[in-house]
Coordinates of all heavy atoms in Angstrom, one line a residue:
M1254 N -10.3 -30.5 -9.5 CA -9.4 -30.1 -8.4 C -9.7 -28.7 -7.9 O -9.6 -28.4 -6.7 CB -8.0 -30.2 -9.0 CG -7.0 -29.6 -8.1 SD -5.6 -30.6 -7.9 CE -4.5 -29.6 -7.0
L1255 N -10.0 -27.8 -8.8 CA -10.3 -26.4 -8.4 C -11.5 -26.3 -7.5 O -11.6 -25.6 -6.6 CB -10.4 -25.5 -9.6 CG -9.2 -25.2 -10.4 CD1 -9.5 -24.3 -11.6 CD2 -8.1 -24.5 -9.5
G1256 N -12.5 -27.2 -7.8 CA -13.7 -27.3 -7.0 C -13.4 -27.7 -5.6 O -14.0 -27.2 -4.6
A1257 N -12.5 -28.7 -5.5 CA -12.1 -29.1 -4.1 C -11.4 -28.0 -3.4 O -11.6 -27.8 -2.2 CB -11.2 -30.3 -4.2
L1258 N -10.5 -27.3 -4.1 CA -9.8 -26.1 -3.4 C -10.8 -25.1 -3.0 O -10.7 -24.5 -1.9 CB -8.8 -25.5 -4.3 CG -7.5 -26.4 -4.6 CD1 -6.7 -25.8 -5.6 CD2 -6.8 -26.6 -3.3
A1259 N -11.8 -24.8 -3.8 CA -12.8 -23.8 -3.5 C -13.7 -24.3 -2.3 O -14.0 -23.5 -1.4 CB -13.7 -23.6 -4.7
A1260 N -14.0 -25.6 -2.3 CA -14.8 -26.1 -1.2 C -14.0 -26.0 0.1 O -14.6 -25.8 1.2 CB -15.2 -27.6 -1.4
A1261 N -12.7 -26.1 0.1 CA -11.9 -26.0 1.3 C -11.6 -24.6 1.7 O -11.0 -24.3 2.7 CB -10.5 -26.7 1.0
G1262 N -12.0 -23.6 0.8 CA -11.9 -22.2 1.1 C -10.6 -21.6 0.6 O -10.3 -20.4 0.8
F1263 N -9.9 -22.3 -0.3 CA -8.7 -21.7 -0.8 C -8.9 -20.8 -2.0 O -8.1 -20.0 -2.3 CB -7.7 -22.9 -1.3 CG -7.1 -23.6 -0.1 CD1 -7.5 -24.9 0.1 CD2 -6.2 -23.0 0.7 CE1 -7.0 -25.6 1.2 CE2 -5.7 -23.6 1.8 CZ -6.1 -25.0 2.0
L1264 N -10.1 -20.9 -2.7 CA -10.3 -20.1 -3.8 C -11.5 -19.2 -3.6 O -11.9 -18.4 -4.5 CB -10.6 -21.0 -5.1 CG -9.4 -21.7 -5.6 CD1 -9.8 -22.6 -6.8 CD2 -8.3 -20.8 -6.0
G1265 N -12.2 -19.3 -2.5 CA -13.3 -18.4 -2.3 C -14.6 -19.0 -2.5 O -15.5 -19.1 -1.6
S1266 N -14.9 -19.5 -3.7 CA -16.2 -20.2 -4.0 C -16.0 -21.1 -5.2 O -15.1 -20.9 -6.0 CB -17.3 -19.1 -4.3 OG -17.0 -18.5 -5.5
A1267 N -17.0 -21.9 -5.4 CA -17.0 -22.8 -6.6 C -17.2 -22.0 -7.8 O -16.6 -22.3 -8.9 CB -18.1 -23.9 -6.4
E1268 N -18.0 -20.9 -7.8 CA -18.2 -20.1 -8.9 C -16.9 -19.4 -9.4 O -16.6 -19.3 -10.5 CB -19.2 -19.0 -8.7 CG -20.6 -19.5 -8.5 CD -20.9 -20.0 -7.0 OE1 -20.1 -19.6 -6.1 OE2 -21.8 -20.8 -6.8
S1269 N -16.1 -18.9 -8.4 CA -14.8 -18.3 -8.8 C -13.9 -19.4 -9.3 O -13.0 -19.1 -10.2 CB -14.2 -17.6 -7.6 OG -13.8 -18.5 -6.6
A1270 N -13.9 -20.6 -8.8 CA -13.0 -21.7 -9.3 C -13.4 -22.0 -10.8 O -12.5 -22.2 -11.6 CB -13.2 -22.9 -8.5
A1271 N -14.7 -22.0 -11.1 CA -15.1 -22.3 -12.4 C -14.8 -21.1 -13.4 O -14.6 -21.4 -14.6 CB -16.6 -22.5 -12.4
A1272 N -14.7 -19.9 -12.9 CA -14.4 -18.8 -13.7 C -12.9 -18.6 -14.0 O -12.6 -17.7 -14.8 CB -14.9 -17.5 -13.1
L1273 N -12.0 -19.4 -13.4 CA -10.6 -19.2 -13.6 C -10.2 -19.9 -15.0 O -10.7 -20.9 -15.4 CB -9.8 -19.9 -12.5 CG -10.0 -19.3 -11.1 CD1 -9.2 -20.1 -10.1 CD2 -9.5 -17.9 -11.1
D1274 N -9.3 -19.2 -15.6 CA -8.7 -19.9 -16.8 C -7.4 -20.6 -16.4 O -7.1 -20.7 -15.2 CB -8.5 -18.8 -17.9 CG -7.5 -17.7 -17.6 OD1 -6.9 -17.8 -16.5 OD2 -7.5 -16.7 -18.3
D1275 N -6.6 -21.0 -17.4 CA -5.4 -21.8 -17.1 C -4.4 -21.2 -16.2 O -3.6 -21.8 -15.5 CB -4.8 -22.4 -18.4 CG -5.7 -23.4 -19.1 OD1 -6.6 -24.0 -18.4 OD2 -5.6 -23.5 -20.3
D1276 N -4.2 -19.8 -16.3 CA -3.1 -19.2 -15.6 C -3.6 -18.6 -14.2 O -2.9 -17.9 -13.6 CB -2.5 -18.0 -16.4 CG -3.5 -16.9 -16.8 OD1 -4.7 -17.0 -16.4 OD2 -3.0 -15.9 -17.4
G1277 N -4.8 -18.9 -13.8 CA -5.3 -18.6 -12.5 C -6.0 -17.2 -12.4 O -6.5 -16.9 -11.4
D1278 N -6.1 -16.5 -13.6 CA -6.9 -15.2 -13.6 C -8.3 -15.5 -14.1 O -8.6 -16.6 -14.6 CB -6.2 -14.2 -14.6 CG -4.9 -13.7 -14.0 OD1 -4.7 -13.7 -12.8 OD2 -4.0 -13.3 -14.8
T1279 N -9.1 -14.5 -13.9 CA -10.5 -14.6 -14.5 C -10.3 -14.4 -16.0 O -9.4 -13.9 -16.5 CB -11.4 -13.5 -13.9 OG1 -10.8 -12.3 -14.1 CG2 -11.6 -13.8 -12.4
P1280 N -11.3 -14.9 -16.7 CA -11.3 -14.8 -18.2 C -11.0 -13.3 -18.7 O -10.4 -13.1 -19.7 CB -12.6 -15.3 -18.7 CG -13.1 -16.2 -17.6 CD -12.5 -15.6 -16.3
D1281 N -11.5 -12.3 -17.9 CA -11.3 -11.0 -18.4 C -9.9 -10.4 -18.0 O -9.6 -9.3 -18.2 CB -12.4 -10.0 -17.9 CG -12.4 -9.9 -16.4 OD1 -11.6 -10.6 -15.7 OD2 -13.2 -9.2 -15.9
G1282 N -9.1 -11.3 -17.3 CA -7.7 -10.9 -16.9 C -7.6 -10.2 -15.6 O -6.6 -9.8 -15.1
G1283 N -8.8 -10.1 -14.9 CA -8.8 -9.4 -13.6 C -8.4 -10.3 -12.5 O -8.2 -11.5 -12.7
P1284 N -8.2 -9.7 -11.3 CA -7.8 -10.5 -10.1 C -8.9 -11.4 -9.7 O -10.1 -11.1 -9.8 CB -7.4 -9.4 -9.1 CG -8.3 -8.3 -9.5 CD -8.4 -8.3 -11.0
T1285 N -8.6 -12.5 -9.0 CA -9.5 -13.4 -8.4 C -9.9 -12.9 -7.1 O -9.3 -12.0 -6.5 CB -9.0 -14.8 -8.3 OG1 -7.9 -14.8 -7.4 CG2 -8.5 -15.3 -9.7
D1286 N -10.9 -13.5 -6.5 CA -11.3 -13.2 -5.1 C -10.2 -13.5 -4.1 O -10.0 -12.7 -3.2 CB -12.6 -14.0 -4.7 CG -13.8 -13.7 -5.4 OD1 -13.9 -12.5 -6.0 OD2 -14.8 -14.5 -5.5
A1287 N -9.4 -14.5 -4.4 CA -8.3 -14.8 -3.5 C -7.2 -13.8 -3.6 O -6.6 -13.4 -2.6 CB -7.7 -16.2 -3.8
D1288 N -7.0 -13.3 -4.8 CA -6.0 -12.2 -5.0 C -6.4 -10.9 -4.3 O -5.6 -10.3 -3.6 CB -5.8 -11.8 -6.5 CG -5.2 -12.9 -7.3 OD1 -4.5 -13.8 -6.7 OD2 -5.4 -13.0 -8.5
T1289 N -7.7 -10.6 -4.4 CA -8.2 -9.4 -3.7 C -8.2 -9.6 -2.2 O -7.8 -8.6 -1.5 CB -9.7 -9.1 -4.1 OG1 -9.7 -9.1 -5.6 CG2 -10.2 -7.9 -3.6
A1290 N -8.5 -10.7 -1.7 CA -8.4 -11.0 -0.2 C -7.0 -10.9 0.3 O -6.7 -10.3 1.3 CB -9.0 -12.3 0.1
A1291 N -6.1 -11.4 -0.5 CA -4.7 -11.3 -0.1 C -4.2 -9.9 -0.1 O -3.4 -9.5 0.8 CB -3.8 -12.2 -1.0
Q1292 N -4.6 -9.1 -1.1 CA -4.2 -7.7 -1.2 C -4.8 -6.9 0.1 O -4.1 -6.1 0.6 CB -4.7 -7.1 -2.4 CG -4.3 -5.7 -2.7 CD -4.9 -5.1 -3.9 OE1 -5.8 -5.6 -4.5 NE2 -4.4 -3.9 -4.3
Q1293 N -6.0 -7.3 0.5 CA -6.7 -6.6 1.6 C -5.9 -6.9 2.9 O -5.8 -6.0 3.7 CB -8.1 -7.0 1.7 CG -9.0 -6.6 0.7 CD -9.3 -5.1 0.7 OE1 -9.2 -4.5 1.7 NE2 -9.7 -4.5 -0.4
E1294 N -5.4 -8.1 3.0 CA -4.7 -8.5 4.3 C -3.3 -7.8 4.4 O -2.8 -7.6 5.5 CB -4.5 -10.0 4.3 CG -5.8 -10.7 4.5 CD -5.6 -12.2 4.4 OE1 -4.5 -12.7 4.3 OE2 -6.7 -12.9 4.4
D1295 N -2.7 -7.4 3.3 CA -1.4 -6.9 3.2 C -1.3 -5.4 3.5 O -0.2 -4.9 3.7 CB -0.7 -7.2 1.9 CG -0.4 -8.7 1.8 OD1 -0.4 -9.4 2.8 OD2 -0.2 -9.1 0.6
V1296 N -2.4 -4.7 3.5 CA -2.3 -3.3 3.6 C -2.3 -2.8 5.1 O -3.0 -3.4 5.9 CB -3.5 -2.6 2.8 CG1 -3.4 -2.9 1.4 CG2 -4.8 -3.0 3.4
P1297 N -1.6 -1.8 5.4 CA -1.6 -1.3 6.8 C -2.9 -0.7 7.2 O -3.7 -0.3 6.3 CB -0.5 -0.2 6.7 CG 0.3 -0.4 5.5 CD -0.6 -1.1 4.5
V1298 N -3.2 -0.6 8.4 CA -4.4 -0.1 9.0 C -4.5 1.4 8.6 O -3.5 2.1 8.6 CB -4.4 -0.2 10.5 CG1 -5.6 0.5 11.1 CG2 -4.4 -1.6 10.9
G1299 N -5.6 1.9 8.1 CA -5.8 3.3 7.7 C -5.7 3.5 6.2 O -6.1 4.6 5.8
T1300 N -5.3 2.5 5.5 CA -5.1 2.7 4.0 C -6.5 2.9 3.4 O -6.7 3.9 2.6 CB -4.6 1.4 3.4 OG1 -3.3 1.2 3.9 CG2 -4.4 1.5 1.9
D1301 N -7.5 2.1 3.8 CA -8.8 2.3 3.2 C -9.5 3.6 3.6 O -10.2 4.2 2.8 CB -9.7 1.1 3.5 CG -9.2 -0.1 2.8 OD1 -8.7 0.0 1.6 OD2 -9.3 -1.2 3.3
A1302 N -9.2 4.1 4.8 CA -9.8 5.3 5.3 C -9.2 6.5 4.5 O -9.9 7.4 4.0 CB -9.6 5.5 6.8
L1303 N -7.9 6.4 4.3 CA -7.3 7.5 3.5 C -7.7 7.5 2.0 O -7.9 8.5 1.4 CB -5.7 7.4 3.6 CG -5.2 7.8 5.0 CD1 -3.7 7.5 5.1 CD2 -5.4 9.3 5.3
L1304 N -7.9 6.2 1.5 CA -8.3 6.1 0.1 C -9.7 6.7 0.0 O -10.1 7.3 -1.0 CB -8.2 4.7 -0.4 CG -8.6 4.4 -1.8 CD1 -7.7 5.1 -2.7 CD2 -8.7 3.0 -2.1
A1305 N -10.6 6.4 1.0 CA -12.0 6.9 1.0 C -11.9 8.5 0.9 O -12.7 9.1 0.2 CB -12.7 6.4 2.2
Y1306 N -11.0 9.1 1.7 CA -10.9 10.5 1.6 C -10.5 11.0 0.2 O -11.1 12.0 -0.3 CB -9.8 11.0 2.7 CG -9.5 12.4 2.6 CD1 -10.4 13.3 3.2 CD2 -8.4 12.9 1.9 CE1 -10.1 14.7 3.2 CE2 -8.2 14.3 1.9 CZ -9.0 15.1 2.5 OH -8.7 16.5 2.5
V1307 N -9.5 10.3 -0.4 CA -9.1 10.7 -1.7 C -10.2 10.5 -2.7 O -10.5 11.4 -3.6 CB -7.9 9.9 -2.2 CG1 -7.5 10.1 -3.6 CG2 -6.7 10.2 -1.3
E1308 N -11.0 9.4 -2.6 CA -12.1 9.2 -3.5 C -13.2 10.2 -3.3 O -13.8 10.7 -4.3 CB -12.7 7.8 -3.2 CG -12.0 6.7 -3.9 CD -12.7 5.4 -3.8 OE1 -12.6 4.8 -2.7 OE2 -13.4 4.9 -4.7
A1309 N -13.4 10.6 -2.1 CA -14.5 11.6 -1.8 C -14.1 13.0 -2.4 O -15.0 13.7 -3.0 CB -14.7 11.8 -0.3
N1310 N -12.8 13.3 -2.4 CA -12.4 14.6 -2.9 C -12.0 14.6 -4.4 O -12.1 15.6 -5.1 CB -11.2 15.1 -2.1 CG -11.7 15.5 -0.7 OD1 -12.4 16.5 -0.6 ND2 -11.3 14.8 0.3
Y1311 N -11.5 13.5 -4.9 CA -10.9 13.5 -6.2 C -11.4 12.3 -7.1 O -10.9 12.1 -8.2 CB -9.4 13.4 -6.2 CG -8.8 14.5 -5.3 CD1 -8.3 14.2 -4.0 CD2 -8.7 15.8 -5.8 CE1 -7.8 15.2 -3.2 CE2 -8.2 16.8 -5.0 CZ -7.7 16.5 -3.7 OH -7.2 17.5 -2.9
G1312 N -12.3 11.5 -6.6 CA -12.8 10.3 -7.2 C -13.3 10.5 -8.6 O -13.1 9.7 -9.5
D1313 N -14.0 11.7 -8.9 CA -14.5 11.9 -10.2 C -13.4 12.3 -11.2 O -13.7 12.2 -12.4 CB -15.5 13.1 -10.1 CG -15.0 14.4 -9.5 OD1 -14.0 14.3 -8.8 OD2 -15.5 15.4 -9.8
Q1314 N -12.2 12.5 -10.7 CA -11.1 12.9 -11.6 C -10.2 11.7 -11.9 O -9.3 11.8 -12.7 CB -10.3 14.0 -11.1 CG -11.1 15.3 -10.8 CD -10.3 16.3 -10.1 OE1 -9.1 16.3 -10.1 NE2 -11.0 17.2 -9.4
L1315 N -10.4 10.6 -11.1 CA -9.5 9.5 -11.2 C -10.2 8.2 -11.8 O -11.3 7.9 -11.4 CB -8.9 9.1 -9.8 CG -8.1 10.3 -9.2 CD1 -7.8 9.9 -7.7 CD2 -6.8 10.5 -9.9
S1316 N -9.5 7.5 -12.6 CA -10.0 6.2 -13.1 C -9.8 5.1 -12.0 O -9.1 5.4 -11.0 CB -9.2 5.8 -14.4 OG -7.9 5.5 -14.1
D1317 N -10.3 4.0 -12.3 CA -10.2 2.9 -11.3 C -8.7 2.4 -11.2 O -8.2 2.2 -10.1 CB -11.0 1.7 -11.7 CG -12.5 1.9 -11.5 OD1 -12.8 2.8 -10.7 OD2 -13.3 1.2 -12.1
D1318 N -8.0 2.5 -12.3 CA -6.6 2.1 -12.3 C -5.8 3.1 -11.5 O -4.8 2.8 -10.7 CB -6.0 2.0 -13.7 CG -6.5 0.8 -14.5 OD1 -6.9 -0.2 -13.8 OD2 -6.5 0.8 -15.7
Q1319 N -6.1 4.4 -11.6 CA -5.4 5.4 -10.9 C -5.7 5.3 -9.4 O -4.8 5.5 -8.6 CB -5.8 6.8 -11.4 CG -5.2 7.1 -12.8 CD -5.8 8.4 -13.4 OE1 -7.0 8.7 -13.2 NE2 -4.9 9.1 -14.1
L1320 N -7.0 5.0 -9.1 CA -7.3 4.8 -7.6 C -6.6 3.6 -7.1 O -6.1 3.6 -5.9 CB -8.8 4.6 -7.5 CG -9.6 5.9 -7.6 CD1 -11.1 5.6 -7.6 CD2 -9.3 6.8 -6.4
D1321 N -6.4 2.6 -7.9 CA -5.6 1.4 -7.4 C -4.1 1.8 -7.2 O -3.5 1.4 -6.2 CB -5.7 0.3 -8.4 CG -7.0 -0.4 -8.4 OD1 -7.8 -0.3 -7.4 OD2 -7.3 -1.1 -9.4
A1322 N -3.6 2.7 -8.1 CA -2.2 3.1 -7.9 C -2.1 4.0 -6.6 O -1.2 3.9 -5.9 CB -1.8 3.9 -9.1
V1323 N -3.1 4.8 -6.4 CA -3.1 5.7 -5.2 C -3.2 4.8 -3.9 O -2.5 5.1 -3.0 CB -4.3 6.7 -5.2 CG1 -4.5 7.4 -3.9 CG2 -4.1 7.7 -6.3
R1324 N -4.0 3.8 -4.0 CA -4.1 2.9 -2.8 C -2.8 2.2 -2.5 O -2.3 2.1 -1.4 CB -5.2 1.8 -3.1 CG -5.4 0.9 -1.9 CD -6.6 0.0 -2.2 NE -7.1 -0.7 -1.1 CZ -6.6 -1.8 -0.6 NH1 -5.6 -2.4 -1.2 NH2 -7.1 -2.4 0.5
T1325 N -2.1 1.8 -3.6 CA -0.8 1.1 -3.5 C 0.2 2.1 -2.8 O 1.0 1.8 -1.9 CB -0.3 0.6 -4.8 OG1 -1.2 -0.3 -5.3 CG2 1.1 0.0 -4.7
R1326 N 0.2 3.4 -3.3 CA 1.1 4.4 -2.8 C 0.8 4.7 -1.3 O 1.7 4.8 -0.5 CB 1.0 5.7 -3.6 CG 1.5 5.6 -5.0 CD 3.0 5.5 -5.2 NE 3.7 6.6 -4.6 CZ 4.1 7.7 -5.2 NH1 3.8 7.9 -6.5 NH2 4.8 8.6 -4.6
I1327 N -0.5 4.8 -1.0 CA -0.9 5.0 0.4 C -0.4 3.9 1.3 O 0.2 4.2 2.4 CB -2.4 5.3 0.5 CG1 -2.8 6.6 -0.1 CG2 -2.9 5.2 2.0 CD1 -4.3 6.8 -0.2
A1328 N -0.6 2.7 0.9 CA -0.2 1.5 1.7 C 1.3 1.5 1.8 O 1.8 1.2 2.9 CB -0.6 0.2 1.0
G1329 N 2.1 1.9 0.8 CA 3.5 2.0 0.9 C 4.0 3.0 1.9 O 4.9 2.8 2.7
I1330 N 3.3 4.2 1.9 CA 3.7 5.3 2.8 C 3.4 4.9 4.2 O 4.2 5.1 5.1 CB 2.9 6.6 2.4 CG1 3.5 7.1 1.1 CG2 3.1 7.6 3.5 CD1 2.6 8.2 0.4
L1331 N 2.2 4.3 4.5 CA 1.9 3.8 5.8 C 2.8 2.7 6.3 O 3.2 2.7 7.5 CB 0.4 3.4 5.9 CG -0.6 4.5 5.7 CD1 -2.0 3.9 5.7 CD2 -0.5 5.5 6.8
A1332 N 3.2 1.8 5.4 CA 4.1 0.7 5.8 C 5.5 1.3 6.1 O 6.1 0.8 7.1 CB 4.2 -0.3 4.7
S1333 N 5.9 2.3 5.4 CA 7.2 2.9 5.7 C 7.2 3.6 7.1 O 8.1 3.6 7.8 CB 7.6 4.0 4.6 OG 7.8 3.3 3.4
G1334 N 6.0 4.2 7.4 CA 5.9 4.9 8.6 C 5.9 3.9 9.8 O 6.5 4.1 10.8
E1335 N 5.2 2.8 9.6 CA 5.2 1.7 10.6 C 6.6 1.2 10.8 O 7.0 0.9 12.0 CB 4.3 0.6 10.2 CG 2.8 1.0 10.3 CD 1.9 -0.2 9.8 OE1 2.4 -1.2 9.4 OE2 0.7 0.1 9.9
A1336 N 7.4 1.0 9.7 CA 8.7 0.5 9.8 C 9.6 1.5 10.6 O 10.4 1.1 11.4 CB 9.3 0.2 8.5
A1337 N 9.5 2.7 10.3 CA 10.2 3.7 11.0 C 9.9 3.8 12.5 O 10.7 4.0 13.3 CB 10.0 5.1 10.4
A1338 N 8.6 3.6 12.8 CA 8.1 3.7 14.2 C 8.7 2.5 15.0 O 8.9 2.6 16.2 CB 6.6 3.7 14.2
E1339 N 8.9 1.4 14.3 CA 9.3 0.1 15.0 C 10.8 0.2 15.2 O 11.4 -0.6 16.0 CB 9.0 -1.1 14.1 CG 7.5 -1.4 14.1 CD 7.2 -2.5 13.2 OE1 8.1 -3.2 12.7 OE2 6.0 -2.8 13.1
F1340 N 11.6 1.1 14.6 CA 13.0 1.1 14.7 C 13.4 1.7 16.0 O 12.9 2.8 16.4 CB 13.6 2.0 13.6 CG 15.1 1.9 13.5 CD1 15.8 0.8 13.0 CD2 15.9 3.0 14.0 CE1 17.1 0.8 13.0 CE2 17.2 3.0 14.0 CZ 17.9 1.9 13.5
D1341 N 14.2 1.0 16.8 CA 14.5 1.5 18.2 C 15.7 2.5 18.1 O 16.8 2.1 17.7 CB 14.9 0.3 19.0 CG 15.0 0.6 20.5 OD1 14.4 1.6 20.9 OD2 15.7 -0.1 21.2
L1342 N 15.4 3.7 18.4 CA 16.4 4.7 18.4 C 16.4 5.5 19.6 O 15.3 6.1 20.0 CB 16.2 5.7 17.2 CG 17.2 6.7 16.9 CD1 18.5 6.1 16.5 CD2 16.7 7.6 15.7
A1343 N 17.5 5.6 20.3 CA 17.5 6.4 21.6 C 17.3 7.9 21.3 O 17.8 8.4 20.3 CB 18.8 6.2 22.3
Y1344 N 16.7 8.6 22.2 CA 16.4 10.0 22.1 C 17.7 10.8 22.0 O 17.8 11.8 21.3 CB 15.6 10.5 23.3 CG 15.3 11.9 23.2 CD1 14.3 12.4 22.4 CD2 15.9 12.8 24.0 CE1 14.0 13.7 22.3 CE2 15.6 14.2 23.9 CZ 14.7 14.6 23.1 OH 14.4 16.0 23.0
T1345 N 18.8 10.3 22.6 CA 20.0 11.0 22.6 C 21.0 10.7 21.4 O 22.0 11.3 21.4 CB 20.8 10.7 23.9 OG1 21.0 9.3 24.0 CG2 20.0 11.1 25.2
T1346 N 20.5 9.9 20.5 CA 21.3 9.5 19.4 C 21.4 10.7 18.4 O 20.4 11.3 18.0 CB 20.8 8.3 18.6 OG1 20.7 7.2 19.6 CG2 21.6 7.9 17.5
D1347 N 22.6 11.1 18.1 CA 22.8 12.2 17.2 C 22.9 11.7 15.8 O 23.1 10.5 15.5 CB 24.2 12.9 17.5 CG 24.2 13.7 18.8 OD1 23.1 14.2 19.1 OD2 25.2 13.8 19.4
P1348 N 22.6 12.6 14.8 CA 22.7 12.2 13.4 C 24.1 11.8 13.0 O 25.1 12.2 13.7 CB 22.2 13.4 12.6 CG 22.2 14.5 13.6 CD 22.2 14.0 14.9
A1349 N 24.3 11.2 11.9 CA 25.6 10.7 11.4 C 26.5 11.9 10.9 O 27.6 11.7 10.6 CB 25.5 9.7 10.3
Y1350 N 25.9 13.1 10.8 CA 26.6 14.2 10.3 C 26.4 15.4 11.3 O 25.5 15.4 12.1 CB 26.2 14.6 8.9 CG 24.7 15.0 8.8 CD1 24.3 16.3 9.0 CD2 23.7 14.0 8.6 CE1 23.0 16.6 9.0 CE2 22.4 14.4 8.6 CZ 22.0 15.7 8.8 OH 20.7 16.0 8.7
T1351 N 27.2 16.4 11.2 CA 27.1 17.6 12.0 C 26.7 18.7 11.1 O 27.4 19.0 10.1 CB 28.4 17.9 12.8 OG1 28.7 16.8 13.5 CG2 28.2 19.1 13.6
F1352 N 25.6 19.4 11.4 CA 25.2 20.5 10.6 C 25.8 21.8 11.1 O 25.7 22.1 12.3 CB 23.6 20.6 10.6 CG 23.1 21.9 9.9 CD1 23.1 21.9 8.5 CD2 22.7 23.0 10.6 CE1 22.7 23.0 7.8 CE2 22.2 24.1 9.9 CZ 22.2 24.1 8.5
E1353 N 26.5 22.5 10.2 CA 27.0 23.8 10.5 C 26.6 24.8 9.5 O 27.0 24.7 8.3 CB 28.6 23.8 10.6 CG 29.1 22.9 11.7 CD 30.6 22.9 11.7 OE1 31.2 23.9 11.4 OE2 31.2 21.8 12.2
P1354 N 25.7 25.7 9.8 CA 25.2 26.7 8.8 C 26.3 27.6 8.3 O 27.2 27.9 9.0 CB 24.2 27.5 9.6 CG 24.5 27.3 11.0 CD 25.2 26.0 11.2
Y1355 N 26.2 27.9 7.1 CA 27.2 28.9 6.5 C 26.9 30.3 6.9 O 25.7 30.8 6.8 CB 27.0 28.8 4.9 CG 27.9 29.7 4.2 CD1 29.3 29.5 4.1 CD2 27.4 30.9 3.6 CE1 30.2 30.4 3.5 CE2 28.3 31.8 2.9 CZ 29.6 31.5 2.9 OH 30.5 32.4 2.2
R1356 N 27.8 30.9 7.5 CA 27.6 32.3 8.0 C 28.5 33.3 7.3 O 28.9 34.3 7.8 CB 27.9 32.3 9.5 CG 27.0 31.4 10.3 CD 27.2 31.6 11.8 NE 26.6 30.6 12.6 CZ 25.3 30.7 13.0 NH1 24.6 31.8 12.7 NH2 24.8 29.8 13.7
G1357 N 28.7 33.0 6.1 CA 29.6 33.9 5.3 C 31.0 33.7 5.6 O 31.5 32.8 6.2
E1358 N 31.9 34.6 5.1 CA 33.3 34.6 5.3 C 33.6 34.8 6.8 O 33.3 35.9 7.3 CB 34.0 35.6 4.4 CG 33.8 35.3 3.0 CD 34.5 34.1 2.4 OE1 35.5 33.7 2.9 OE2 33.9 33.4 1.5
E1359 N 34.3 33.9 7.4 CA 34.7 34.1 8.8 C 36.2 34.2 9.0 O 37.0 33.7 8.4 CB 34.1 33.0 9.7 CG 32.6 33.1 9.8 CD 32.1 32.0 10.8 OE1 32.9 31.4 11.5 OE2 30.9 31.8 10.7

């Protein structure tokens, strides 16, 4: 069955289908090609460019797991920025509170 899924393009290749264990991971516990492809599709534009910058400057100080965590954080920050940019807010909308600076005893 896994071979048929791989042939249809659902698992990436017949080799990756053969390398899967019962829970769908590779024998070493790592992600499959399909998992990696799905992760690549979910990241906002610019994530990999920013990660490349971090790797160029700090890559020798970070492990692969730490770089994966940085990539996840970068993707989250960019996704939050995209969500904020999509929110329709009129220029004349005031904040929900009024700021009044403290000027001492008046």
